Amino acid sequence: MSTTILDNRMKTLQIVSNMDRSCTPSPPHSPSLRNESCNIAPLTPSESPRSEHRAVRTSHFFVVVAIDFGTTSSGYAFSFSKDPEAIHMMRKWEGGDPGVANQKTPTSLLLTPDKAFHSFGYTARDYYHDLDPEEARDWLYFEKFKMKIHSTSDLTMKTELEAVNGKKVQALMVFAHALRFFKEHAVKELKDQCPSLNENEGIRWVITVPAIWKQPAKQFMREAAYLAGLVSPENPDQLLIALEPEAASIYCRKLRLHQLIDLSSKAFFNGFPSDRSIDSSFRQAREQLRRSRHSRTFLVETGMGELWSEMQAGDRYIVADCGGGTVDLTVHQIEQPQGTLKELYKASGGPYGAVGVDLAFENMLCKIFGEDFIQTFKLKRPAAWVDLMIAFEARKRTAAPQRANHLNISLPFSFIDFYKRNKGQNVETALRKSSVNFVKWSSQGMLRMSSEAMNELFQPTIQQIVQHIEDLMKKPDVKGIKYLFLVGGFAESPMLQNAVQLAFSDICRVIIPQDVGLTILKGAVLFGLDPTIVRVRRSPLTYGVGVLNKFVEGKHPKEKLLVKDGKNWCTDIFDKFVSVDQSVALGDIVQRSYCPARLGQRKIIINIYCSSTDDVVYITDPGVRKCGTINLELPDINESNSKISRREIRASMQFGDTEIKVTAMDIKTSKIVRAAIDFLSN
């Protein structure tokens, strides 16, 4: 079936609408539809994207609550809409580690043997640690599970996570348990201050995710939030997904000079370079911050901070978010006088977070004690393995380039006993026979590591981070960087600070906020108060749909020929919505019009395809993959009159936000059509 319409250039187009094979049968004289997914065509092809803007969103919520869901640690903060300059950190957590300011809690979840929620954070970790070894084997303990969402290439609603004991649970349930924990804590704290708060309508929630996460992972977090009861699917705008380096960038805009540490500046005393360690000023600042945290309230500038005020329109900077699981890089340009931000290059990064140091430590243990033993110990004594990694984490935090003395790491008694039972020798013998240098057995019953050995564990991860920043700076769109902001939990490490300082301090100013581990959390609150701060983003991929166009001899390959109603059509044409690394402003929309293939059709399903390149012609080209669907639910109208014109459904898609969004309207009735994009059902 064909239809003739006029486009914006007043040319007549003939487009086939072959919506769904379940709705429209294949024509009797056409070739077989080899690619069933190429089943729609737009009525009105439009430029991608059109410079049509939606009204910017204004906050009508009483309070904004942001959850920084990290790989190793998580927390929440909030701010009241009437007092946006005050950001309140969550209440102090129970438990904690010596010397660690616990403004966040470990991203650790404990479920009972029957998979019911037991506890989260320090409580979960400590309870699991205190369980009897035999009993612990039945409990389900999860840690560092956020990485699974990034590393899973075929993420769905049914993806499973493996607990420390090897048992599996649906990932969606694990994330929902964690988010529900934060919701209950935050709501209780807010209601203690404002008993009349309507939690269903008065709170805007913000959840942070890495900028390098793809659309399925972002949708997964949203679905977990729905399941946790943060918001209803009927009110999706009540939940915002914030990109972690963007949030950090937003917060850095507010900082005063005394709240920043400039690693590029070299302190001099009596005309000579200071021999003071590079992290000493950072440690002093962190101690000062720790002493002031009893108030849990941070005040931010009403306007711009002093550093931002120094910036000129067009100044460029990089935010390197170095977290537990990933390193996330974004490049922004300041727009004056309004102070909005423009993304200059699509987000990049990789799995180069602090857990890479943990994996290096585990690999070292495998070399000393044997990989088979370590894997068996993790499975048979999971709580003791967690205890061992906690001991390593404490020592890892003290690692510094200038450190000369050794570090002692306690081995749990169950490790020592289990090794002797399984290998018939003690750990001291294993260390003596090992080829691993700089690691010995101390008389106090501990692993004794030299500072060189500890530094060696950091190097592979740190080198990847430095290399990635170097590669990014070589991109044509990223030249002329003035500042490099180092943020995230891993940015607290003097080892990483030293490496970044040596590599880049001669190129640009390397700056660290004093409260570096909380930068993203505070920025996420500010983003919730004003989601329009980042005005322009870059598309990470090329997105489009498969359509039918007129077949042109000599241009289109014969295997793409489809004959329908006596007319020749080319199948599998990639109709591009937006191109990879294309600048898309907040509010820009891409519009396409679709019509049902038959009377009485109640749903239109349109497949979305993506590619990491821009030179895409067909949806069957190498590197093109189906990544999601647009679902349009059609309202029931009286279509019994044969003279009624074809229905036209106009879909409007936004690519300039942190998530791809779609709305739709029935042109004939001017009624909103229920529309959704699904990236988790492929």
PDB file of all heavy atoms in Angstrom, residues 511-543:
ATOM      1  N   ILE A 511      43.615  20.006  38.234  1.00  0.00           N
ATOM      2  CA  ILE A 511      42.916  20.502  39.419  1.00  0.00           C
ATOM      3  C   ILE A 511      42.082  19.398  40.055  1.00  0.00           C
ATOM      4  O   ILE A 511      41.424  18.619  39.361  1.00  0.00           O
ATOM      5  CB  ILE A 511      42.031  21.710  39.053  1.00  0.00           C
ATOM      6  CG1 ILE A 511      42.935  22.882  38.645  1.00  0.00           C
ATOM      7  CG2 ILE A 511      41.111  22.106  40.193  1.00  0.00           C
ATOM      8  CD1 ILE A 511      42.197  24.096  38.176  1.00  0.00           C
ATOM      9  N   ILE A 512      42.120  19.346  41.385  1.00  0.00           N
ATOM     10  CA  ILE A 512      41.332  18.377  42.150  1.00  0.00           C
ATOM     11  C   ILE A 512      40.491  19.133  43.176  1.00  0.00           C
ATOM     12  O   ILE A 512      41.033  19.935  43.951  1.00  0.00           O
ATOM     13  CB  ILE A 512      42.234  17.372  42.891  1.00  0.00           C
ATOM     14  CG1 ILE A 512      43.155  16.651  41.917  1.00  0.00           C
ATOM     15  CG2 ILE A 512      41.401  16.362  43.665  1.00  0.00           C
ATOM     16  CD1 ILE A 512      44.096  15.684  42.590  1.00  0.00           C
ATOM     17  N   PRO A 513      39.178  18.917  43.204  1.00  0.00           N
ATOM     18  CA  PRO A 513      38.369  19.500  44.282  1.00  0.00           C
ATOM     19  C   PRO A 513      38.759  18.873  45.622  1.00  0.00           C
ATOM     20  O   PRO A 513      39.146  17.705  45.680  1.00  0.00           O
ATOM     21  CB  PRO A 513      36.935  19.121  43.903  1.00  0.00           C
ATOM     22  CG  PRO A 513      36.993  18.739  42.459  1.00  0.00           C
ATOM     23  CD  PRO A 513      38.359  18.175  42.240  1.00  0.00           C
ATOM     24  N   GLN A 514      38.658  19.639  46.684  1.00  0.00           N
ATOM     25  CA  GLN A 514      39.028  19.111  48.005  1.00  0.00           C
ATOM     26  C   GLN A 514      38.214  17.869  48.354  1.00  0.00           C
ATOM     27  O   GLN A 514      38.756  16.862  48.780  1.00  0.00           O
ATOM     28  CB  GLN A 514      38.812  20.185  49.078  1.00  0.00           C
ATOM     29  CG  GLN A 514      39.894  21.246  49.102  1.00  0.00           C
ATOM     30  CD  GLN A 514      39.682  22.236  50.223  1.00  0.00           C
ATOM     31  OE1 GLN A 514      38.730  22.123  51.000  1.00  0.00           O
ATOM     32  NE2 GLN A 514      40.557  23.221  50.323  1.00  0.00           N
ATOM     33  N   ASP A 515      36.919  17.936  48.193  1.00  0.00           N
ATOM     34  CA  ASP A 515      36.038  16.818  48.523  1.00  0.00           C
ATOM     35  C   ASP A 515      35.840  15.951  47.286  1.00  0.00           C
ATOM     36  O   ASP A 515      34.720  15.695  46.860  1.00  0.00           O
ATOM     37  CB  ASP A 515      34.700  17.313  49.081  1.00  0.00           C
ATOM     38  CG  ASP A 515      34.042  18.337  48.160  1.00  0.00           C
ATOM     39  OD1 ASP A 515      34.739  18.884  47.289  1.00  0.00           O
ATOM     40  OD2 ASP A 515      32.832  18.575  48.308  1.00  0.00           O
ATOM     41  N   VAL A 516      36.932  15.457  46.740  1.00  0.00           N
ATOM     42  CA  VAL A 516      36.922  14.830  45.421  1.00  0.00           C
ATOM     43  C   VAL A 516      35.992  13.621  45.346  1.00  0.00           C
ATOM     44  O   VAL A 516      35.346  13.379  44.326  1.00  0.00           O
ATOM     45  CB  VAL A 516      38.368  14.452  45.015  1.00  0.00           C
ATOM     46  CG1 VAL A 516      38.977  13.449  45.979  1.00  0.00           C
ATOM     47  CG2 VAL A 516      38.423  13.934  43.602  1.00  0.00           C
ATOM     48  N   GLY A 517      35.871  12.865  46.425  1.00  0.00           N
ATOM     49  CA  GLY A 517      35.015  11.682  46.414  1.00  0.00           C
ATOM     50  C   GLY A 517      33.530  11.993  46.430  1.00  0.00           C
ATOM     51  O   GLY A 517      32.705  11.122  46.162  1.00  0.00           O
ATOM     52  N   LEU A 518      33.183  13.259  46.755  1.00  0.00           N
ATOM     53  CA  LEU A 518      31.779  13.650  46.837  1.00  0.00           C
ATOM     54  C   LEU A 518      31.369  14.598  45.712  1.00  0.00           C
ATOM     55  O   LEU A 518      30.236  15.057  45.662  1.00  0.00           O
ATOM     56  CB  LEU A 518      31.492  14.322  48.190  1.00  0.00           C
ATOM     57  CG  LEU A 518      31.756  13.460  49.435  1.00  0.00           C
ATOM     58  CD1 LEU A 518      31.552  14.293  50.694  1.00  0.00           C
ATOM     59  CD2 LEU A 518      30.863  12.242  49.453  1.00  0.00           C
ATOM     60  N   THR A 519      32.296  14.891  44.817  1.00  0.00           N
ATOM     61  CA  THR A 519      32.049  15.861  43.747  1.00  0.00           C
ATOM     62  C   THR A 519      30.868  15.456  42.879  1.00  0.00           C
ATOM     63  O   THR A 519      29.998  16.272  42.552  1.00  0.00           O
ATOM     64  CB  THR A 519      33.310  16.006  42.875  1.00  0.00           C
ATOM     65  OG1 THR A 519      34.405  16.394  43.708  1.00  0.00           O
ATOM     66  CG2 THR A 519      33.104  17.033  41.792  1.00  0.00           C
ATOM     67  N   ILE A 520      30.814  14.187  42.486  1.00  0.00           N
ATOM     68  CA  ILE A 520      29.751  13.714  41.595  1.00  0.00           C
ATOM     69  C   ILE A 520      28.404  13.757  42.307  1.00  0.00           C
ATOM     70  O   ILE A 520      27.389  14.164  41.721  1.00  0.00           O
ATOM     71  CB  ILE A 520      30.072  12.297  41.101  1.00  0.00           C
ATOM     72  CG1 ILE A 520      31.298  12.341  40.186  1.00  0.00           C
ATOM     73  CG2 ILE A 520      28.885  11.664  40.378  1.00  0.00           C
ATOM     74  CD1 ILE A 520      31.958  11.016  39.970  1.00  0.00           C
ATOM     75  N   LEU A 521      28.385  13.368  43.559  1.00  0.00           N
ATOM     76  CA  LEU A 521      27.133  13.357  44.322  1.00  0.00           C
ATOM     77  C   LEU A 521      26.557  14.769  44.440  1.00  0.00           C
ATOM     78  O   LEU A 521      25.356  14.985  44.212  1.00  0.00           O
ATOM     79  CB  LEU A 521      27.389  12.758  45.706  1.00  0.00           C
ATOM     80  CG  LEU A 521      26.201  12.620  46.648  1.00  0.00           C
ATOM     81  CD1 LEU A 521      25.059  11.873  45.988  1.00  0.00           C
ATOM     82  CD2 LEU A 521      26.625  11.912  47.935  1.00  0.00           C
ATOM     83  N   LYS A 522      27.398  15.730  44.756  1.00  0.00           N
ATOM     84  CA  LYS A 522      26.913  17.111  44.882  1.00  0.00           C
ATOM     85  C   LYS A 522      26.477  17.666  43.526  1.00  0.00           C
ATOM     86  O   LYS A 522      25.471  18.367  43.427  1.00  0.00           O
ATOM     87  CB  LYS A 522      28.010  17.986  45.484  1.00  0.00           C
ATOM     88  CG  LYS A 522      28.385  17.607  46.907  1.00  0.00           C
ATOM     89  CD  LYS A 522      29.528  18.468  47.389  1.00  0.00           C
ATOM     90  CE  LYS A 522      30.000  18.048  48.761  1.00  0.00           C
ATOM     91  NZ  LYS A 522      31.158  18.840  49.218  1.00  0.00           N
ATOM     92  N   GLY A 523      27.264  17.338  42.489  1.00  0.00           N
ATOM     93  CA  GLY A 523      26.893  17.802  41.154  1.00  0.00           C
ATOM     94  C   GLY A 523      25.587  17.206  40.678  1.00  0.00           C
ATOM     95  O   GLY A 523      24.819  17.859  39.960  1.00  0.00           O
ATOM     96  N   ALA A 524      25.308  15.963  41.074  1.00  0.00           N
ATOM     97  CA  ALA A 524      24.045  15.322  40.692  1.00  0.00           C
ATOM     98  C   ALA A 524      22.859  16.047  41.317  1.00  0.00           C
ATOM     99  O   ALA A 524      21.796  16.163  40.697  1.00  0.00           O
ATOM    100  CB  ALA A 524      24.053  13.852  41.116  1.00  0.00           C
ATOM    101  N   VAL A 525      23.036  16.561  42.540  1.00  0.00           N
ATOM    102  CA  VAL A 525      21.975  17.355  43.172  1.00  0.00           C
ATOM    103  C   VAL A 525      21.736  18.633  42.370  1.00  0.00           C
ATOM    104  O   VAL A 525      20.588  19.003  42.080  1.00  0.00           O
ATOM    105  CB  VAL A 525      22.347  17.688  44.633  1.00  0.00           C
ATOM    106  CG1 VAL A 525      21.312  18.654  45.231  1.00  0.00           C
ATOM    107  CG2 VAL A 525      22.430  16.423  45.479  1.00  0.00           C
ATOM    108  N   LEU A 526      22.816  19.307  41.998  1.00  0.00           N
ATOM    109  CA  LEU A 526      22.681  20.539  41.218  1.00  0.00           C
ATOM    110  C   LEU A 526      22.035  20.264  39.864  1.00  0.00           C
ATOM    111  O   LEU A 526      21.242  21.071  39.368  1.00  0.00           O
ATOM    112  CB  LEU A 526      24.058  21.185  41.024  1.00  0.00           C
ATOM    113  CG  LEU A 526      24.759  21.674  42.302  1.00  0.00           C
ATOM    114  CD1 LEU A 526      26.162  22.193  41.976  1.00  0.00           C
ATOM    115  CD2 LEU A 526      23.941  22.750  42.991  1.00  0.00           C
ATOM    116  N   PHE A 527      22.356  19.135  39.257  1.00  0.00           N
ATOM    117  CA  PHE A 527      21.741  18.757  37.987  1.00  0.00           C
ATOM    118  C   PHE A 527      20.241  18.547  38.159  1.00  0.00           C
ATOM    119  O   PHE A 527      19.443  18.937  37.303  1.00  0.00           O
ATOM    120  CB  PHE A 527      22.394  17.480  37.463  1.00  0.00           C
ATOM    121  CG  PHE A 527      21.768  16.945  36.202  1.00  0.00           C
ATOM    122  CD1 PHE A 527      21.937  17.592  34.994  1.00  0.00           C
ATOM    123  CD2 PHE A 527      21.008  15.782  36.224  1.00  0.00           C
ATOM    124  CE1 PHE A 527      21.358  17.102  33.822  1.00  0.00           C
ATOM    125  CE2 PHE A 527      20.430  15.280  35.069  1.00  0.00           C
ATOM    126  CZ  PHE A 527      20.600  15.940  33.869  1.00  0.00           C
ATOM    127  N   GLY A 528      19.839  17.942  39.273  1.00  0.00           N
ATOM    128  CA  GLY A 528      18.416  17.749  39.540  1.00  0.00           C
ATOM    129  C   GLY A 528      17.672  19.056  39.719  1.00  0.00           C
ATOM    130  O   GLY A 528      16.500  19.181  39.341  1.00  0.00           O
ATOM    131  N   LEU A 529      18.365  20.048  40.284  1.00  0.00           N
ATOM    132  CA  LEU A 529      17.743  21.360  40.460  1.00  0.00           C
ATOM    133  C   LEU A 529      17.614  22.101  39.139  1.00  0.00           C
ATOM    134  O   LEU A 529      16.665  22.860  38.927  1.00  0.00           O
ATOM    135  CB  LEU A 529      18.580  22.195  41.449  1.00  0.00           C
ATOM    136  CG  LEU A 529      18.556  21.721  42.910  1.00  0.00           C
ATOM    137  CD1 LEU A 529      19.654  22.416  43.704  1.00  0.00           C
ATOM    138  CD2 LEU A 529      17.194  21.971  43.550  1.00  0.00           C
ATOM    139  N   ASP A 530      18.561  21.878  38.225  1.00  0.00           N
ATOM    140  CA  ASP A 530      18.518  22.529  36.912  1.00  0.00           C
ATOM    141  C   ASP A 530      19.114  21.595  35.854  1.00  0.00           C
ATOM    142  O   ASP A 530      20.322  21.613  35.615  1.00  0.00           O
ATOM    143  CB  ASP A 530      19.288  23.850  36.933  1.00  0.00           C
ATOM    144  CG  ASP A 530      19.234  24.566  35.586  1.00  0.00           C
ATOM    145  OD1 ASP A 530      18.482  24.104  34.699  1.00  0.00           O
ATOM    146  OD2 ASP A 530      19.943  25.582  35.428  1.00  0.00           O
ATOM    147  N   PRO A 531      18.296  20.767  35.212  1.00  0.00           N
ATOM    148  CA  PRO A 531      18.802  19.809  34.224  1.00  0.00           C
ATOM    149  C   PRO A 531      19.228  20.448  32.902  1.00  0.00           C
ATOM    150  O   PRO A 531      19.672  19.732  32.004  1.00  0.00           O
ATOM    151  CB  PRO A 531      17.602  18.871  33.987  1.00  0.00           C
ATOM    152  CG  PRO A 531      16.615  19.174  35.069  1.00  0.00           C
ATOM    153  CD  PRO A 531      16.850  20.589  35.450  1.00  0.00           C
ATOM    154  N   THR A 532      19.082  21.767  32.766  1.00  0.00           N
ATOM    155  CA  THR A 532      19.410  22.430  31.498  1.00  0.00           C
ATOM    156  C   THR A 532      20.828  22.993  31.483  1.00  0.00           C
ATOM    157  O   THR A 532      21.205  23.681  30.524  1.00  0.00           O
ATOM    158  CB  THR A 532      18.417  23.568  31.224  1.00  0.00           C
ATOM    159  OG1 THR A 532      18.596  24.606  32.209  1.00  0.00           O
ATOM    160  CG2 THR A 532      16.975  23.071  31.284  1.00  0.00           C
ATOM    161  N   ILE A 533      21.615  22.721  32.522  1.00  0.00           N
ATOM    162  CA  ILE A 533      22.962  23.313  32.598  1.00  0.00           C
ATOM    163  C   ILE A 533      23.822  22.851  31.428  1.00  0.00           C
ATOM    164  O   ILE A 533      24.548  23.640  30.824  1.00  0.00           O
ATOM    165  CB  ILE A 533      23.630  22.950  33.942  1.00  0.00           C
ATOM    166  CG1 ILE A 533      22.869  23.603  35.096  1.00  0.00           C
ATOM    167  CG2 ILE A 533      25.083  23.387  33.954  1.00  0.00           C
ATOM    168  CD1 ILE A 533      23.400  23.239  36.466  1.00  0.00           C
ATOM    169  N   VAL A 534      23.765  21.544  31.114  1.00  0.00           N
ATOM    170  CA  VAL A 534      24.500  21.045  29.949  1.00  0.00           C
ATOM    171  C   VAL A 534      23.592  21.237  28.742  1.00  0.00           C
ATOM    172  O   VAL A 534      22.614  20.515  28.565  1.00  0.00           O
ATOM    173  CB  VAL A 534      24.897  19.564  30.115  1.00  0.00           C
ATOM    174  CG1 VAL A 534      25.681  19.081  28.898  1.00  0.00           C
ATOM    175  CG2 VAL A 534      25.718  19.368  31.387  1.00  0.00           C
ATOM    176  N   ARG A 535      23.929  22.226  27.904  1.00  0.00           N
ATOM    177  CA  ARG A 535      23.029  22.631  26.831  1.00  0.00           C
ATOM    178  C   ARG A 535      23.211  21.808  25.562  1.00  0.00           C
ATOM    179  O   ARG A 535      22.260  21.564  24.813  1.00  0.00           O
ATOM    180  CB  ARG A 535      23.234  24.113  26.515  1.00  0.00           C
ATOM    181  CG  ARG A 535      22.144  24.734  25.660  1.00  0.00           C
ATOM    182  CD  ARG A 535      22.490  26.147  25.256  1.00  0.00           C
ATOM    183  NE  ARG A 535      23.693  26.209  24.430  1.00  0.00           N
ATOM    184  CZ  ARG A 535      23.697  25.977  23.109  1.00  0.00           C
ATOM    185  NH1 ARG A 535      22.572  25.692  22.488  1.00  0.00           N
ATOM    186  NH2 ARG A 535      24.818  26.040  22.429  1.00  0.00           N
ATOM    187  N   VAL A 536      24.447  21.363  25.310  1.00  0.00           N
ATOM    188  CA  VAL A 536      24.737  20.613  24.084  1.00  0.00           C
ATOM    189  C   VAL A 536      25.528  19.359  24.433  1.00  0.00           C
ATOM    190  O   VAL A 536      26.515  19.427  25.174  1.00  0.00           O
ATOM    191  CB  VAL A 536      25.543  21.469  23.078  1.00  0.00           C
ATOM    192  CG1 VAL A 536      25.855  20.658  21.817  1.00  0.00           C
ATOM    193  CG2 VAL A 536      24.787  22.736  22.719  1.00  0.00           C
ATOM    194  N   ARG A 537      25.073  18.228  23.898  1.00  0.00           N
ATOM    195  CA  ARG A 537      25.792  16.965  24.078  1.00  0.00           C
ATOM    196  C   ARG A 537      26.161  16.382  22.725  1.00  0.00           C
ATOM    197  O   ARG A 537      25.658  16.829  21.693  1.00  0.00           O
ATOM    198  CB  ARG A 537      24.939  15.955  24.872  1.00  0.00           C
ATOM    199  CG  ARG A 537      24.700  16.357  26.322  1.00  0.00           C
ATOM    200  CD  ARG A 537      23.899  15.293  27.064  1.00  0.00           C
ATOM    201  NE  ARG A 537      23.789  15.599  28.489  1.00  0.00           N
ATOM    202  CZ  ARG A 537      22.839  16.330  29.034  1.00  0.00           C
ATOM    203  NH1 ARG A 537      21.889  16.829  28.255  1.00  0.00           N
ATOM    204  NH2 ARG A 537      22.819  16.567  30.327  1.00  0.00           N
ATOM    205  N   ARG A 538      27.040  15.388  22.738  1.00  0.00           N
ATOM    206  CA  ARG A 538      27.436  14.686  21.516  1.00  0.00           C
ATOM    207  C   ARG A 538      26.812  13.297  21.506  1.00  0.00           C
ATOM    208  O   ARG A 538      26.835  12.596  22.521  1.00  0.00           O
ATOM    209  CB  ARG A 538      28.960  14.561  21.439  1.00  0.00           C
ATOM    210  CG  ARG A 538      29.692  15.894  21.322  1.00  0.00           C
ATOM    211  CD  ARG A 538      29.579  16.454  19.917  1.00  0.00           C
ATOM    212  NE  ARG A 538      30.344  17.680  19.760  1.00  0.00           N
ATOM    213  CZ  ARG A 538      31.143  17.934  18.736  1.00  0.00           C
ATOM    214  NH1 ARG A 538      31.284  17.046  17.766  1.00  0.00           N
ATOM    215  NH2 ARG A 538      31.795  19.075  18.665  1.00  0.00           N
ATOM    216  N   SER A 539      26.295  12.902  20.367  1.00  0.00           N
ATOM    217  CA  SER A 539      25.696  11.571  20.261  1.00  0.00           C
ATOM    218  C   SER A 539      26.795  10.514  20.273  1.00  0.00           C
ATOM    219  O   SER A 539      27.749  10.599  19.491  1.00  0.00           O
ATOM    220  CB  SER A 539      24.880  11.456  18.975  1.00  0.00           C
ATOM    221  OG  SER A 539      24.379  10.142  18.823  1.00  0.00           O
ATOM    222  N   PRO A 540      26.698   9.500  21.132  1.00  0.00           N
ATOM    223  CA  PRO A 540      27.745   8.473  21.201  1.00  0.00           C
ATOM    224  C   PRO A 540      27.722   7.515  20.018  1.00  0.00           C
ATOM    225  O   PRO A 540      28.717   6.858  19.740  1.00  0.00           O
ATOM    226  CB  PRO A 540      27.427   7.746  22.510  1.00  0.00           C
ATOM    227  CG  PRO A 540      25.957   7.924  22.698  1.00  0.00           C
ATOM    228  CD  PRO A 540      25.644   9.282  22.134  1.00  0.00           C
ATOM    229  N   LEU A 541      26.579   7.420  19.335  1.00  0.00           N
ATOM    230  CA  LEU A 541      26.433   6.483  18.221  1.00  0.00           C
ATOM    231  C   LEU A 541      25.574   7.111  17.128  1.00  0.00           C
ATOM    232  O   LEU A 541      24.931   8.148  17.339  1.00  0.00           O
ATOM    233  CB  LEU A 541      25.769   5.175  18.695  1.00  0.00           C
ATOM    234  CG  LEU A 541      26.531   4.294  19.682  1.00  0.00           C
ATOM    235  CD1 LEU A 541      25.602   3.218  20.246  1.00  0.00           C
ATOM    236  CD2 LEU A 541      27.745   3.660  19.035  1.00  0.00           C
ATOM    237  N   THR A 542      25.558   6.477  15.964  1.00  0.00           N
ATOM    238  CA  THR A 542      24.615   6.822  14.912  1.00  0.00           C
ATOM    239  C   THR A 542      23.348   5.998  15.113  1.00  0.00           C
ATOM    240  O   THR A 542      23.427   4.773  15.256  1.00  0.00           O
ATOM    241  CB  THR A 542      25.210   6.515  13.523  1.00  0.00           C
ATOM    242  OG1 THR A 542      26.365   7.335  13.324  1.00  0.00           O
ATOM    243  CG2 THR A 542      24.203   6.799  12.422  1.00  0.00           C
ATOM    244  N   TYR A 543      22.202   6.651  15.159  1.00  0.00           N
ATOM    245  CA  TYR A 543      20.935   5.965  15.368  1.00  0.00           C
ATOM    246  C   TYR A 543      20.024   6.164  14.162  1.00  0.00           C
ATOM    247  O   TYR A 543      20.035   7.226  13.526  1.00  0.00           O
ATOM    248  CB  TYR A 543      20.219   6.497  16.614  1.00  0.00           C
ATOM    249  CG  TYR A 543      20.882   6.142  17.918  1.00  0.00           C
ATOM    250  CD1 TYR A 543      21.695   7.061  18.585  1.00  0.00           C
ATOM    251  CD2 TYR A 543      20.693   4.888  18.500  1.00  0.00           C
ATOM    252  CE1 TYR A 543      22.310   6.742  19.794  1.00  0.00           C
ATOM    253  CE2 TYR A 543      21.299   4.567  19.702  1.00  0.00           C
ATOM    254  CZ  TYR A 543      22.103   5.496  20.339  1.00  0.00           C
ATOM    255  OH  TYR A 543      22.701   5.165  21.525  1.00  0.00           O
TER     256      TYR A 543
END
